[in-house]
Amino acid sequence: MSSTLFRTKKVEQSILDTEEPEHALKKSLSALDLTVFGVGVIIGTGIFVLTGTVAKNNAGPAVALAFVAAGVACALAALCYAEFASTVPVAGSAYTFSYASLGELPAWIIGWDLVLEFALGTAVVAVGWSGYVRSLMDNAGWSLPEALSGREGAEGFGFDILAALLVLALTAILVVGMKLSARITALVVAIKVTVVLVVIIAGAFFIKGDNYDPFIPKAQEVEAGRSLDSPLIQLMFGWAPSNFGVMGIFTAASVVFFAFIGFDVVATAAEETRNPQRDMPRGILGSLLICTTLYVLVSIVVTGMQHYSRLSVDAPLADAFKATGHPWYAGFISFGAAVGLTTVCMILLLGQTRVFFAMSRDGLLPRFFSQVHPRFKTPHRPTILLGVLIAVLAGFTSLSELAELVNIGTLFAFVVVALGVIILRRSRPDLHRAFRTPWVPVVPILSVAASLWLMLNLPAETWTRFGIWMAIGFVVYFLYGRSHSRLGRGEETNVDEVARPDPGGDR
């Protein structure tokens, strides 16, 4: 039985599946498109909110170093993603990579996990976007009926019409085609990055050197008695991490890490890239480098404008400008946040549909969802299904109920991909790798260690929810996925008919 659970799908077979006319996605993306996608999904509310939160509660002005630490952890994972995406340029990201290296059951689990993460993430972002838009409408003297403003503002029935309409509109754009999605994303990202640059440049003129003193505040021990709300390492080892001090920087890194979530979504578009072997590494690593630089600069500016102890938790950038006597920037920043969340929502939805599409093409989910649109060459069926479901979820669920979402699934995917690089290097040394992760197995091992460390800093209740969802995934796999797997049924094309890569080309 174990041999069937861990059967791997050959890389050649995965690539061959992308050539079937009814299941082939249109290749239209360039390295620039991928970089824009990465920047579009990474820069969201994190840069506008998390900066103040972790500066005030964990690291002080040294929050800039926390962003660097989190960026390094993501870079380790990005190097592993870049090798896989250039070697196996197939939709599905970590799911497809796991199928080629670890086996069917681990691939199913990571795919099951990513579908949930992307779905809830899209709903969270849509609700957050709705809040920003309603705030801007209120400033203009407009308002929506309470019943259409979300459950938090309504008595009895409440539906967040703005969040639902955003998801439905983005669903329609994704159905029409990736190139249109890329063009809209490029426009929105240009606006968003402009807002961030204005914040950095304008804020630099209001920096006061005294606000950086002390740059690394004295360490304070976390209050005892915070059981389920405290990091798991406290429960496992009896050690409470510090607020402030050097260890406070690493505690802050586990929080600001969530601001980086999204670069891995770029890998889900590998199959729709014109030259994935060259462009996927550029898109993944390029977007991560750009966003890390912007995050560090923003954190330096905001902690220089206002002392970290007085920073706002809800809107630190906007309130920092208000504190310096420039309230106009607050509305400008809110506008940038609202615009920016549009691309975050779109790209998360894109990533989810591609993972779902890849799983259905392999038979682990109904094959009905693996047929592409005859004209647009997009996976329209899963896009429409998931778009409608997420629109309903975003409409009926308040932000306070969704805000508990954490990205333990993404960290889990990082671990799986890093291990997969090591395994595939040993099992398939003959594969041509257009991009090679340096210093294997050292870099993948460091990536695993960094991801596990960040996972251990997550609340214990997050692990509980993660475990419950994984348990449901096991049940679904054994009731449906295992018996309908195309690989298990022997329905895959004979890969011996496909020209194999030069065995000596990558040694």
Side-chain angles (χ1 to χ4, degrees):
M1 180 177 176
S2 60
S3 61
T4 61
L5 297 180
F6 294 95
R7 55 196 175 205
T8 57
K9 184 176 181 179
K10 291 185 178 180
V11 173
E12 294 85 354
Q13 180 63 65
S14 294
I15 296 175
L16 189 63
D17 286 349
T18 67
E19 300 173 359
E20 298 177 357
E22 292 184 350
H23 309 285
L25 300 174
K26 184 178 180 180
K27 298 181 182 295
S28 60
L29 301 180
S30 64
L32 178 60
D33 293 327
L34 296 173
T35 303
V36 169
F37 273 141
V39 174
V41 72
I42 296 173
I43 297 181
T45 53
I47 197 169
F48 299 108
V49 178
L50 285 181
T51 303
T53 302
V54 296
K56 188 171 185 176
N57 298 331
N58 301 109
V63 63
L65 299 180
F67 274 111
V68 172
V72 169
C74 289
L76 294 171
L79 290 170
C80 298
Y81 269 88
E83 174 169 323
F84 256 127
S86 62
T87 307
V88 193
V90 177
S93 185
Y95 159 76
T96 301
F97 305 157
S98 301
Y99 213 161
S101 56
L102 300 177
E104 185 171 281
L105 180 59
W108 162 266
I109 290 300
I110 197 64
W112 178 256
D113 166 62
L114 290 178
V115 166
L116 175 71
E117 292 293 325
F118 290 153
L120 294 183
T122 304
V124 168
V125 173
V127 174
W129 176 88
S130 174
Y132 274 109
V133 172
R134 290 198 305 272
S135 176
L136 292 172
M137 291 174 62
D138 290 340
N139 292 338
W142 304 335
S143 61
L144 289 173
E146 286 190 351
L148 298 178
S149 300
R151 288 173 57 189
E152 289 178 314
E155 296 182 4
F157 174 82
F159 185 81
D160 194 333
I161 188 66
L162 293 178
L165 289 177
L166 173 67
V167 175
L168 293 177
L170 296 179
T171 298
I173 293 172
L174 290 175
V175 168
V176 171
M178 279 293 286
K179 198 59 184 177
L180 175 62
S181 305
R183 289 171 180 168
I184 294 176
T185 300
L187 175 62
V188 175
V189 168
I191 297 173
K192 177 163 55 175
V193 172
T194 299
V195 172
V196 174
L197 291 176
V198 168
V199 169
I200 294 172
I201 296 171
F205 290 95
F206 307 126
I207 290 177
K208 295 181 180 179
D210 293 343
N211 289 330
Y212 293 129
D213 185 22
F215 187 74
I216 303 179
K218 185 178 179 181
Q220 301 174 7
E221 188 171 302
V222 173
E223 297 179 8
R226 299 189 317 178
S227 57
L228 289 179
D229 292 330
S230 62
L232 192 64
I233 50 177
Q234 181 177 352
L235 299 179
M236 294 176 61
F237 307 114
W239 169 70
S242 298
N243 280 341
F244 308 115
V246 175
M247 291 309 299
I249 295 174
F250 290 102
T251 302
S254 68
V255 178
V256 301
F257 168 81
F258 303 137
F260 288 90
I261 293 301
F263 77 85
D264 56 311
V265 180
V266 176
T268 65
E271 192 174 326
E272 293 158 277
T273 305
R274 288 194 294 264
N275 189 345
Q277 288 77 12
R278 181 196 67 188
D279 293 341
M280 288 304 302
R282 293 181 180 181
I284 293 173
L285 297 172
S287 59
L288 184 60
L289 176 61
I290 292 171
C291 293
T292 301
T293 302
L294 292 176
Y295 280 177
V296 170
L297 291 176
V298 166
S299 61
I300 290 174
V301 167
V302 72
T303 53
M305 291 176 62
Q306 190 175 24
H307 194 267
Y308 75 90
S309 62
R310 296 192 297 272
L311 282 174
S312 163
V313 174
D314 296 327
L317 269 66
D319 289 346
F321 276 102
K322 289 181 181 178
T324 60
H326 296 81
W328 177 85
Y329 286 100
F332 184 64
I333 292 170
S334 295
F335 169 75
V339 171
L341 289 181
T342 306
T343 58
V344 178
C345 190
M346 175 188 287
I347 299 168
L348 286 174
L349 183 59
L350 163 72
Q352 185 201 33
T353 58
R354 270 46 180 182
V355 173
F356 196 97
F357 169 78
M359 296 176 73
S360 65
R361 188 165 58 187
D362 290 332
L364 299 180
L365 290 173
R367 289 270 288 172
F368 171 81
F369 295 105
S370 66
Q371 291 190 0
V372 299
H373 193 281
R375 176 184 174 187
F376 302 127
K377 297 299 180 182
T378 57
H380 60 296
R381 290 174 177 174
T383 301
I384 294 172
L385 171 68
L386 297 171
V388 171
L389 291 177
I390 295 173
V392 173
L393 177 64
F396 280 111
T397 310
S398 67
L399 182 60
S400 60
E401 293 172 347
L402 290 174
E404 294 298 320
L405 171 70
V406 290
N407 292 285
I408 188 171
T410 302
L411 287 166
F412 178 58
F414 288 0
V415 172
V416 170
V417 170
L419 292 175
V421 167
I422 299 174
I423 293 172
L424 202 62
R425 282 282 188 98
R426 291 181 175 274
S427 62
R428 292 298 307 275
D430 58 301
L431 286 175
H432 174 66
R433 293 168 170 84
F435 178 89
R436 293 175 63 89
T437 303
W439 304 310
V440 173
V442 176
V443 167
I445 290 175
L446 289 175
S447 177
V448 171
S451 298
L452 289 176
W453 170 258
L454 293 174
M455 290 174 75
L456 289 175
N457 276 278
L458 294 174
E461 60 186 9
T462 299
W463 284 80
T464 301
R465 292 195 299 267
F466 179 70
I468 292 173
W469 180 251
M470 290 298 100
I472 296 173
F474 275 102
V475 173
V476 175
Y477 173 75
F478 283 105
L479 291 180
Y480 182 89
R482 184 166 176 264
S483 59
H484 289 80
S485 166
R486 293 184 66 205
L487 184 62
R489 290 186 168 191
E491 296 178 2
E492 302 285 4
T493 307
N494 185 3
V495 296
D496 293 333
E497 299 174 0
V498 181
R500 294 178 63 87
D502 177 14
D506 185 50
R507 294 183 182 279

